[in-house]
Amino acid sequence: FSGPIYPVHPKAETIFGLKVYHSILEIPGEVDLVIFTVPIAAVMPVLDQCVQKKVKFAHLLTAGFSETGRRDYAEIEKKIVARARAGGIRIVGPNCMGLYCPEGGLAWSAEFPKEPGSIGLFSQSGQLVSHIIRDGQTHGLRFSQAVSFGNASDLQAHDFLEYYAQDSKTKVIGAYLEGLREGRTFFEAVKKVARKKPVVIWKGGQTEGGSRATQSHTAAIAGSQKIWEALCKQAGIISVNSIEELIFTVSALQHINLPQGLNVAVMGGAGGGSVTMTDVAEKAGLKVPHLTEKTIRKMEEFVPLEGSGIKNPLDIGGVLEKPEGQLRVMELLREDPNIDALLYSSRMNWMYQDHGRAGLNTYLQTTLKAREVLGKPLFIILPKFDDPSMDLVRLEVEQWYKEAGIPTFPTFD
């Protein structure tokens, strides 16, 4: 952080070489943000100093309020919020990790990337948003800002959502939520935002046990899972169910143009694999239609009929091993009006085993050309392998695709 930092402590004189102030009132000049790392009993006296100092924001890292389930601690939380609002201060928290803004040099972990990006995150869990940021950076994700806001006693999910909606640097919005204090306000806000920017949300507390757990974590009332699912459908929220799914979905939204419809071609499976991938796609709400008769006739000109399937799903393994065959398939799918996108399960292991490193490199270069020829969204799946040495090669390939600006997915699901 390049701006001034003022440690406040009743006894110390210096901390990490910085001059210590014994009270917030002793700090010279304006104070934008105060981070509370004090026991509950000290929060109200320090907040009174913030009000006198005309501080703008308070981040209450301090925990032990309404999430404890004790009524007396919940009452303290309410009094703190009322005092802050009366004094013109907005609160992030309590019981949270607070703010991450790489452009401003603000973070709660030294492991977070220092380069800003275009993803905005808000999360009730500090642990999970930390994982998303750390794991996401290995997949090339960079963030405009992120906030862990815990109990949401003052600033809530819809406040952060509306901020990201008007922030020109934020292109994709991700979130982890456990419950909503003002569900209708959030619903109306997200309906407007999701029309302009993709909103991807992982909802915790989807089961009875998980719902109970949210109350002891952030004092959230998780609510009915059916109501949440209906809210997502009506508002246009992209609902996910894990850190991995959130990261890969956000990555796709950053790098892949959205399909114009639900019709997909499925390619790369063999026999039963093609069938099961088709089941997964259609259960997820996509459609796997037959290609047009014109496309099928042209496909028959260079795809052997024995052991192949060319109507969709496409079981055409031998053709995909040859650059000219793969590119010809892409040309036909580009022209086929029945297809809006291609789901391509990579055959990199077969290429590596049959043709070595040189053959694999040729195959990867061909997929770059294939994406350009296709001209429609291309989703590449790189399945994990039981063989450790083969999985190391897969990780190299994943990194190579990432550097080429192509997101990949670890499973067809």
Side-chain angles (χ1 to χ4, degrees), residues 28 52 89 167 217 247 258 277 292 320 380-381 412:
Q52 292 181 60
I89 297 173
D167 177 39
H217 179 217
I247 288 171
L258 293 177
M277 287 195 298
T292 63
L320 298 178
I380 295 178
I381 300 97
F412 192 82

Side-chain angles (χ1 to χ4, degrees), residues 107-125:
W108 66 83
S109 170
E111 297 177 4
F112 292 174
K114 294 179 173 60
E115 319 84 46
S118 60
I119 302 164
L121 289 179
F122 58 100
S123 169
Q124 284 179 274
S125 166

